[in-house]
Amino acid sequence: MSEPESPATDPGTASSGRPVRADARRNRDRILSVARTAFASTAETVPLDAIAREAGVGIGTLYRHFPTREALVEAVYSAELDEVVSSAPALLAELPPEAALRAWMDRYAEFSQVKRGMSATLRAGWASGSIATPATRERITGAIAVILAGGVRDGSLRADVGPEDVTTMLLGVFLSTTASDSPERTGPLLDLVVDALRYSAGRNG
């Protein structure tokens, strides 16, 4: 069944450019949280009315914040990407570089899982221009570079592997486990990537 047309945006809501009330902000955040969980749970298209129902709001409220499916998907994707990128320096501030890298890989894996349920809408939106094309690979590679640099400084990670190579390895892990529908293999494969990046005098000397 097709989704209902989005109603006109009410004055004073998020899309109008005016300040958002606290209850409206809570509704928006709840919709985003539910949508993130829904997109991570399946590669199929999730009905927007199901997201609204799970978030405890009416479909009209969802459309006031996100007038189209593309707007909701773009918001979830953007928020996820921002969190993945910002988590790199945060983890490095709390953990030794090797542990920070492994923890960050788990966060990146979660991002990859969420993308499964948004992939069709993202591809169509990027192709049509209705969704802005983000510099995802560049930002992910930059986050990896931050952690690798910390590992090189303390001698725990190799200096002869560039962040772009690590990005390529991680994408290979996520693509292979998604294609084979084997998410349980992701953790062991990420362990192997970290092991390959660990500094060893015999291997790197």
Side-chain angles (χ1 to χ4, degrees):
M1 186 174 74
S2 61
E3 294 163 2
E5 294 183 0
S6 59
T9 302
D10 291 344
T13 60
S15 298
S16 70
R18 299 181 183 180
V20 181
R21 299 192 315 271
D23 58 339
R25 169 61 64 180
R26 284 193 295 271
N27 285 340
R28 184 181 189 278
D29 291 346
R30 191 157 58 244
I31 292 167
L32 285 174
S33 177
V34 169
R36 180 194 183 280
T37 300
F39 293 148
S41 67
T42 179
E44 304 297 323
T45 300
V46 181
L48 295 187
D49 57 353
I51 292 174
R53 188 165 54 250
E54 182 65 23
V57 301
I59 189 66
T61 297
L62 185 149
Y63 275 126
R64 280 195 292 274
H65 289 285
F66 307 102
T68 63
R69 173 178 292 276
E70 288 80 5
L72 176 59
V73 165
E74 184 174 24
V76 173
Y77 187 92
S78 177
E80 281 292 292
L81 180 58
D82 286 347
E83 286 188 18
V84 171
V85 172
S86 65
S87 68
L91 287 167
L92 190 60
E94 297 174 2
L95 301 169
E98 184 180 326
L101 179 62
R102 184 62 184 85
W104 182 85
M105 287 180 179
D106 281 338
R107 183 63 186 86
Y108 186 22
E110 292 175 8
F111 173 54
S112 180
Q113 185 72 12
V114 173
K115 283 169 57 181
R116 290 176 66 237
M118 302 189 290
S119 58
T121 302
L122 286 169
R123 285 195 298 267
W126 290 334
S128 68
S130 61
I131 298 179
T133 304
T136 303
R137 187 174 184 120
E138 292 83 353
R139 294 184 67 191
I140 290 295
T141 300
I144 293 170
V146 169
I147 303 179
L148 288 183
V152 170
R153 284 194 298 270
D154 78 353
S156 62
L157 297 174
R158 295 170 61 174
D160 61 337
V161 179
E164 178 63 37
D165 292 332
V166 179
T167 301
T168 300
M169 287 190 287
L170 293 177
L171 290 175
V173 169
F174 301 143
L175 287 173
S176 64
T177 54
T178 298
S180 62
D181 199 23
S182 304
E184 71 280 357
R185 296 183 60 235
T186 301
L189 289 173
L190 294 179
D191 289 339
L192 288 175
V193 173
V194 173
D195 185 60
L197 296 173
R198 188 176 295 118
Y199 178 82
S200 168
R203 180 169 59 190
N204 306 287

